[in-house]
Amino acid sequence: MSDSVTIPSSAENISSPEASSVSAPIVPTAGVAPGGIRQLALPINISVGFLGIQFVWAVQMTQVSPLLESMGSQAWLTGLIWAAGPVTGVLVQPIVGVLSDNLRSRLGRRRPFLLLGALTTAIALICMPHSPNLLVAAIWLWVLDASINLTQGPYRALVPDVVPRAQQTTAYSLMSLTIGLGAVVSTFIASQIAVPQLVFYLGAAAILIALGWTALTTRERPTDKDPVVHPNGQKSAIGAITGILGETLMAIPRMPKEALKLCVAHSFTWFGLMCLFIFFSVFIPKQIFHATPGTDLYNDGVRWAASCQTALNLSCFVVSFGISQLCRRFSKKATHTAALVLMAVSFIALNFISTPIQAMIAMACIGFGWATTLSIPFALLTDHMPKGKEGLLMGTFNIFIAAPGVLCTLLVGQIISRFAGGNEGVAFVIGGISVLISALLLQRVHEAPETHCEEGPPALGAH
């Protein structure tokens, strides 16, 4: 089988669906009948893959920082090493997003990226806990993040490919539900198992099974017979990557106005979340259990941190069942705003807690905002997404997720080490303020009325 890619020579104006429909390659989506995309009876198969993806993220959040500290890392260095995630997100997802828009293969546009990303993610998870030193562990973390980012942009873009617009909020809500389920299972396992290597192995198995299931059960139209055009004869790998990065950068100022405002607001949410992801799993054993790395008490603290993250993810899982109904009753923006405010207050409260149970309660409250963050912004984005540019816009959207993460990894660890006496709780105050700013900026985003005025829940069913 020969796969090939159409690389646009420059960014086209993506400010309106009408503009993109003229210049974008015509790629019929899966399940498209002459009248449009078919109604899906149960879009659960398309959501299963995120159970595996979130299992991996949960393994990373609960195990990586303690693993790095066990090898001698400190707060400022741990933050720098964690830059792997956002940096690879900035570089990988835009490239993969455009590549998946234009891929020609018998498997379709998105599924090859899901399968390749699942395989390389599993390899990184198996190898990381056996790293002989801090440098090798950092390298494997970069490989892990690059691999998981390989899947996420095409995966998000798969929804508007195969799910009708009336069902997309439900599809993203189901993704939030499976994300919560995967995180609950993995963090609970991490809180119970005393052998960290086994947690990494289970993550590898989860990503292979879950993404494999979605790739095999979600029917995407083969694109290997579609015509392929290489503008300006650009066929080299370097030329292709340069063209993609150039298109992505040019796409930012050409984004629909409301989509750009949403991206800016969402970026502050993710700055705050990175503060939590990096430092919580070491904050609990050091600041609440008052333990030092390498001791049994420290390991008890790491397991309690995993239990707290189980509470967060269980909250996310439960809330996910009601997101569609809340959005229909109060609007997407109002629902997400309320959840962000609760998240921000809970972030700041973490700095003032003194007992393990207080930490668990705060994390459970954060789970409300985590659930809406994983679904509502993507549903809002589809209101302003031109056809044929889904992968490009999802990749561009991810820049506003990843870039704040880079800033967080560079700054917050330094602040903790230099000005806070090593108290990771300060990171949560900074993160809470950032989430509050996100909630304020969200009020500037216009929400199309028809996206939250559906009559009853959309139909669900198998492809």
PDB file of all heavy atoms in Angstrom, residues 148-170:
ATOM      1  N   ILE A 148       2.059  10.187  21.910  1.00  0.00           N
ATOM      2  CA  ILE A 148       0.668  10.417  22.286  1.00  0.00           C
ATOM      3  C   ILE A 148       0.092  11.612  21.534  1.00  0.00           C
ATOM      4  O   ILE A 148      -1.081  11.648  21.176  1.00  0.00           O
ATOM      5  CB  ILE A 148       0.531  10.575  23.809  1.00  0.00           C
ATOM      6  CG1 ILE A 148      -0.886  10.231  24.261  1.00  0.00           C
ATOM      7  CG2 ILE A 148       0.938  11.942  24.279  1.00  0.00           C
ATOM      8  CD1 ILE A 148      -1.236   8.789  24.158  1.00  0.00           C
ATOM      9  N   ASN A 149       0.943  12.616  21.254  1.00  0.00           N
ATOM     10  CA  ASN A 149       0.495  13.749  20.452  1.00  0.00           C
ATOM     11  C   ASN A 149       0.241  13.355  19.006  1.00  0.00           C
ATOM     12  O   ASN A 149      -0.539  14.008  18.303  1.00  0.00           O
ATOM     13  CB  ASN A 149       1.523  14.883  20.520  1.00  0.00           C
ATOM     14  CG  ASN A 149       1.322  15.769  21.729  1.00  0.00           C
ATOM     15  OD1 ASN A 149       0.351  16.519  21.815  1.00  0.00           O
ATOM     16  ND2 ASN A 149       2.236  15.690  22.685  1.00  0.00           N
ATOM     17  N   LEU A 150       0.909  12.286  18.565  1.00  0.00           N
ATOM     18  CA  LEU A 150       0.686  11.789  17.208  1.00  0.00           C
ATOM     19  C   LEU A 150      -0.758  11.341  17.008  1.00  0.00           C
ATOM     20  O   LEU A 150      -1.297  11.410  15.900  1.00  0.00           O
ATOM     21  CB  LEU A 150       1.642  10.623  16.939  1.00  0.00           C
ATOM     22  CG  LEU A 150       1.638   9.989  15.548  1.00  0.00           C
ATOM     23  CD1 LEU A 150       2.087  10.998  14.502  1.00  0.00           C
ATOM     24  CD2 LEU A 150       2.543   8.763  15.531  1.00  0.00           C
ATOM     25  N   THR A 151      -1.400  10.897  18.084  1.00  0.00           N
ATOM     26  CA  THR A 151      -2.760  10.397  17.968  1.00  0.00           C
ATOM     27  C   THR A 151      -3.828  11.468  18.184  1.00  0.00           C
ATOM     28  O   THR A 151      -4.909  11.399  17.581  1.00  0.00           O
ATOM     29  CB  THR A 151      -3.006   9.283  19.002  1.00  0.00           C
ATOM     30  OG1 THR A 151      -2.996   9.825  20.325  1.00  0.00           O
ATOM     31  CG2 THR A 151      -1.949   8.203  18.906  1.00  0.00           C
ATOM     32  N   GLN A 152      -3.576  12.449  19.046  1.00  0.00           N
ATOM     33  CA  GLN A 152      -4.672  13.262  19.565  1.00  0.00           C
ATOM     34  C   GLN A 152      -5.283  14.217  18.553  1.00  0.00           C
ATOM     35  O   GLN A 152      -6.506  14.360  18.497  1.00  0.00           O
ATOM     36  CB  GLN A 152      -4.212  14.037  20.804  1.00  0.00           C
ATOM     37  CG  GLN A 152      -4.032  13.139  22.009  1.00  0.00           C
ATOM     38  CD  GLN A 152      -3.968  13.903  23.301  1.00  0.00           C
ATOM     39  OE1 GLN A 152      -4.726  13.670  24.235  1.00  0.00           O
ATOM     40  NE2 GLN A 152      -3.038  14.827  23.365  1.00  0.00           N
ATOM     41  N   GLY A 153      -4.442  14.895  17.743  1.00  0.00           N
ATOM     42  CA  GLY A 153      -4.992  15.799  16.739  1.00  0.00           C
ATOM     43  C   GLY A 153      -5.879  15.083  15.732  1.00  0.00           C
ATOM     44  O   GLY A 153      -7.045  15.449  15.533  1.00  0.00           O
ATOM     45  N   PRO A 154      -5.366  14.024  15.067  1.00  0.00           N
ATOM     46  CA  PRO A 154      -6.220  13.268  14.149  1.00  0.00           C
ATOM     47  C   PRO A 154      -7.433  12.660  14.834  1.00  0.00           C
ATOM     48  O   PRO A 154      -8.504  12.559  14.233  1.00  0.00           O
ATOM     49  CB  PRO A 154      -5.274  12.173  13.635  1.00  0.00           C
ATOM     50  CG  PRO A 154      -3.915  12.774  13.748  1.00  0.00           C
ATOM     51  CD  PRO A 154      -3.960  13.606  14.992  1.00  0.00           C
ATOM     52  N   TYR A 155      -7.282  12.259  16.089  1.00  0.00           N
ATOM     53  CA  TYR A 155      -8.414  11.661  16.811  1.00  0.00           C
ATOM     54  C   TYR A 155      -9.529  12.682  17.010  1.00  0.00           C
ATOM     55  O   TYR A 155     -10.708  12.414  16.745  1.00  0.00           O
ATOM     56  CB  TYR A 155      -7.918  11.131  18.154  1.00  0.00           C
ATOM     57  CG  TYR A 155      -8.860  10.160  18.834  1.00  0.00           C
ATOM     58  CD1 TYR A 155      -8.430   9.410  19.910  1.00  0.00           C
ATOM     59  CD2 TYR A 155     -10.178   9.970  18.407  1.00  0.00           C
ATOM     60  CE1 TYR A 155      -9.272   8.510  20.551  1.00  0.00           C
ATOM     61  CE2 TYR A 155     -11.024   9.073  19.034  1.00  0.00           C
ATOM     62  CZ  TYR A 155     -10.566   8.355  20.117  1.00  0.00           C
ATOM     63  OH  TYR A 155     -11.406   7.473  20.742  1.00  0.00           O
ATOM     64  N   ARG A 156      -9.193  13.880  17.490  1.00  0.00           N
ATOM     65  CA  ARG A 156     -10.202  14.917  17.659  1.00  0.00           C
ATOM     66  C   ARG A 156     -10.850  15.268  16.321  1.00  0.00           C
ATOM     67  O   ARG A 156     -12.050  15.518  16.238  1.00  0.00           O
ATOM     68  CB  ARG A 156      -9.570  16.178  18.257  1.00  0.00           C
ATOM     69  CG  ARG A 156      -9.023  16.008  19.663  1.00  0.00           C
ATOM     70  CD  ARG A 156     -10.101  16.032  20.716  1.00  0.00           C
ATOM     71  NE  ARG A 156      -9.552  16.080  22.059  1.00  0.00           N
ATOM     72  CZ  ARG A 156     -10.260  15.972  23.179  1.00  0.00           C
ATOM     73  NH1 ARG A 156     -11.562  15.785  23.101  1.00  0.00           N
ATOM     74  NH2 ARG A 156      -9.685  16.035  24.358  1.00  0.00           N
ATOM     75  N   ALA A 157     -10.036  15.317  15.246  1.00  0.00           N
ATOM     76  CA  ALA A 157     -10.566  15.657  13.930  1.00  0.00           C
ATOM     77  C   ALA A 157     -11.447  14.556  13.356  1.00  0.00           C
ATOM     78  O   ALA A 157     -12.243  14.805  12.450  1.00  0.00           O
ATOM     79  CB  ALA A 157      -9.413  15.949  12.959  1.00  0.00           C
ATOM     80  N   LEU A 158     -11.322  13.340  13.882  1.00  0.00           N
ATOM     81  CA  LEU A 158     -12.158  12.242  13.408  1.00  0.00           C
ATOM     82  C   LEU A 158     -13.633  12.476  13.733  1.00  0.00           C
ATOM     83  O   LEU A 158     -14.514  12.025  13.000  1.00  0.00           O
ATOM     84  CB  LEU A 158     -11.680  10.932  14.039  1.00  0.00           C
ATOM     85  CG  LEU A 158     -12.325   9.633  13.564  1.00  0.00           C
ATOM     86  CD1 LEU A 158     -12.047   9.412  12.075  1.00  0.00           C
ATOM     87  CD2 LEU A 158     -11.800   8.447  14.384  1.00  0.00           C
ATOM     88  N   VAL A 159     -13.911  13.208  14.809  1.00  0.00           N
ATOM     89  CA  VAL A 159     -15.302  13.438  15.213  1.00  0.00           C
ATOM     90  C   VAL A 159     -16.083  14.213  14.151  1.00  0.00           C
ATOM     91  O   VAL A 159     -17.119  13.744  13.680  1.00  0.00           O
ATOM     92  CB  VAL A 159     -15.377  14.128  16.580  1.00  0.00           C
ATOM     93  CG1 VAL A 159     -16.808  14.516  16.917  1.00  0.00           C
ATOM     94  CG2 VAL A 159     -14.813  13.219  17.668  1.00  0.00           C
ATOM     95  N   PRO A 160     -15.639  15.415  13.725  1.00  0.00           N
ATOM     96  CA  PRO A 160     -16.397  16.084  12.671  1.00  0.00           C
ATOM     97  C   PRO A 160     -16.359  15.343  11.338  1.00  0.00           C
ATOM     98  O   PRO A 160     -17.224  15.553  10.487  1.00  0.00           O
ATOM     99  CB  PRO A 160     -15.716  17.453  12.558  1.00  0.00           C
ATOM    100  CG  PRO A 160     -14.378  17.295  13.171  1.00  0.00           C
ATOM    101  CD  PRO A 160     -14.542  16.271  14.241  1.00  0.00           C
ATOM    102  N   ASP A 161     -15.398  14.435  11.150  1.00  0.00           N
ATOM    103  CA  ASP A 161     -15.367  13.618   9.937  1.00  0.00           C
ATOM    104  C   ASP A 161     -16.552  12.666   9.868  1.00  0.00           C
ATOM    105  O   ASP A 161     -17.156  12.486   8.806  1.00  0.00           O
ATOM    106  CB  ASP A 161     -14.082  12.789   9.884  1.00  0.00           C
ATOM    107  CG  ASP A 161     -12.913  13.554   9.291  1.00  0.00           C
ATOM    108  OD1 ASP A 161     -13.100  14.729   8.930  1.00  0.00           O
ATOM    109  OD2 ASP A 161     -11.815  12.973   9.199  1.00  0.00           O
ATOM    110  N   VAL A 162     -16.877  12.015  10.987  1.00  0.00           N
ATOM    111  CA  VAL A 162     -17.834  10.907  10.932  1.00  0.00           C
ATOM    112  C   VAL A 162     -19.081  11.116  11.791  1.00  0.00           C
ATOM    113  O   VAL A 162     -19.994  10.290  11.743  1.00  0.00           O
ATOM    114  CB  VAL A 162     -17.156   9.577  11.357  1.00  0.00           C
ATOM    115  CG1 VAL A 162     -15.964   9.274  10.474  1.00  0.00           C
ATOM    116  CG2 VAL A 162     -16.734   9.609  12.819  1.00  0.00           C
ATOM    117  N   VAL A 163     -19.131  12.188  12.564  1.00  0.00           N
ATOM    118  CA  VAL A 163     -20.273  12.431  13.439  1.00  0.00           C
ATOM    119  C   VAL A 163     -21.027  13.666  12.961  1.00  0.00           C
ATOM    120  O   VAL A 163     -20.425  14.723  12.764  1.00  0.00           O
ATOM    121  CB  VAL A 163     -19.829  12.633  14.905  1.00  0.00           C
ATOM    122  CG1 VAL A 163     -21.027  12.906  15.806  1.00  0.00           C
ATOM    123  CG2 VAL A 163     -19.060  11.415  15.400  1.00  0.00           C
ATOM    124  N   PRO A 164     -22.347  13.592  12.756  1.00  0.00           N
ATOM    125  CA  PRO A 164     -23.110  14.774  12.340  1.00  0.00           C
ATOM    126  C   PRO A 164     -23.077  15.853  13.413  1.00  0.00           C
ATOM    127  O   PRO A 164     -22.935  15.559  14.610  1.00  0.00           O
ATOM    128  CB  PRO A 164     -24.531  14.233  12.143  1.00  0.00           C
ATOM    129  CG  PRO A 164     -24.569  12.969  12.905  1.00  0.00           C
ATOM    130  CD  PRO A 164     -23.201  12.399  12.887  1.00  0.00           C
ATOM    131  N   ARG A 165     -23.212  17.103  12.995  1.00  0.00           N
ATOM    132  CA  ARG A 165     -23.036  18.228  13.908  1.00  0.00           C
ATOM    133  C   ARG A 165     -23.967  18.150  15.113  1.00  0.00           C
ATOM    134  O   ARG A 165     -23.579  18.483  16.224  1.00  0.00           O
ATOM    135  CB  ARG A 165     -23.272  19.545  13.160  1.00  0.00           C
ATOM    136  CG  ARG A 165     -22.956  20.764  14.013  1.00  0.00           C
ATOM    137  CD  ARG A 165     -23.212  22.050  13.273  1.00  0.00           C
ATOM    138  NE  ARG A 165     -22.928  23.194  14.127  1.00  0.00           N
ATOM    139  CZ  ARG A 165     -23.277  24.431  13.841  1.00  0.00           C
ATOM    140  NH1 ARG A 165     -23.936  24.689  12.728  1.00  0.00           N
ATOM    141  NH2 ARG A 165     -22.985  25.417  14.655  1.00  0.00           N
ATOM    142  N   ALA A 166     -25.196  17.700  14.906  1.00  0.00           N
ATOM    143  CA  ALA A 166     -26.161  17.635  15.999  1.00  0.00           C
ATOM    144  C   ALA A 166     -25.718  16.683  17.092  1.00  0.00           C
ATOM    145  O   ALA A 166     -26.183  16.767  18.225  1.00  0.00           O
ATOM    146  CB  ALA A 166     -27.528  17.220  15.473  1.00  0.00           C
ATOM    147  N   GLN A 167     -24.805  15.750  16.778  1.00  0.00           N
ATOM    148  CA  GLN A 167     -24.352  14.762  17.745  1.00  0.00           C
ATOM    149  C   GLN A 167     -22.949  15.026  18.268  1.00  0.00           C
ATOM    150  O   GLN A 167     -22.455  14.273  19.105  1.00  0.00           O
ATOM    151  CB  GLN A 167     -24.386  13.364  17.121  1.00  0.00           C
ATOM    152  CG  GLN A 167     -25.781  12.854  16.827  1.00  0.00           C
ATOM    153  CD  GLN A 167     -25.709  11.467  16.215  1.00  0.00           C
ATOM    154  OE1 GLN A 167     -25.426  11.323  15.038  1.00  0.00           O
ATOM    155  NE2 GLN A 167     -25.955  10.454  17.018  1.00  0.00           N
ATOM    156  N   GLN A 168     -22.297  16.081  17.781  1.00  0.00           N
ATOM    157  CA  GLN A 168     -20.891  16.260  18.127  1.00  0.00           C
ATOM    158  C   GLN A 168     -20.680  16.603  19.596  1.00  0.00           C
ATOM    159  O   GLN A 168     -19.705  16.149  20.212  1.00  0.00           O
ATOM    160  CB  GLN A 168     -20.258  17.323  17.212  1.00  0.00           C
ATOM    161  CG  GLN A 168     -20.045  16.798  15.802  1.00  0.00           C
ATOM    162  CD  GLN A 168     -19.571  17.856  14.829  1.00  0.00           C
ATOM    163  OE1 GLN A 168     -19.226  18.964  15.212  1.00  0.00           O
ATOM    164  NE2 GLN A 168     -19.567  17.513  13.551  1.00  0.00           N
ATOM    165  N   THR A 169     -21.577  17.393  20.193  1.00  0.00           N
ATOM    166  CA  THR A 169     -21.457  17.662  21.626  1.00  0.00           C
ATOM    167  C   THR A 169     -21.551  16.366  22.417  1.00  0.00           C
ATOM    168  O   THR A 169     -20.795  16.131  23.361  1.00  0.00           O
ATOM    169  CB  THR A 169     -22.552  18.642  22.091  1.00  0.00           C
ATOM    170  OG1 THR A 169     -22.382  19.886  21.414  1.00  0.00           O
ATOM    171  CG2 THR A 169     -22.455  18.886  23.596  1.00  0.00           C
ATOM    172  N   THR A 170     -22.485  15.491  22.017  1.00  0.00           N
ATOM    173  CA  THR A 170     -22.614  14.203  22.691  1.00  0.00           C
ATOM    174  C   THR A 170     -21.371  13.347  22.488  1.00  0.00           C
ATOM    175  O   THR A 170     -20.897  12.681  23.419  1.00  0.00           O
ATOM    176  CB  THR A 170     -23.850  13.453  22.166  1.00  0.00           C
ATOM    177  OG1 THR A 170     -25.016  14.229  22.468  1.00  0.00           O
ATOM    178  CG2 THR A 170     -23.971  12.084  22.803  1.00  0.00           C
TER     179      THR A 170
END
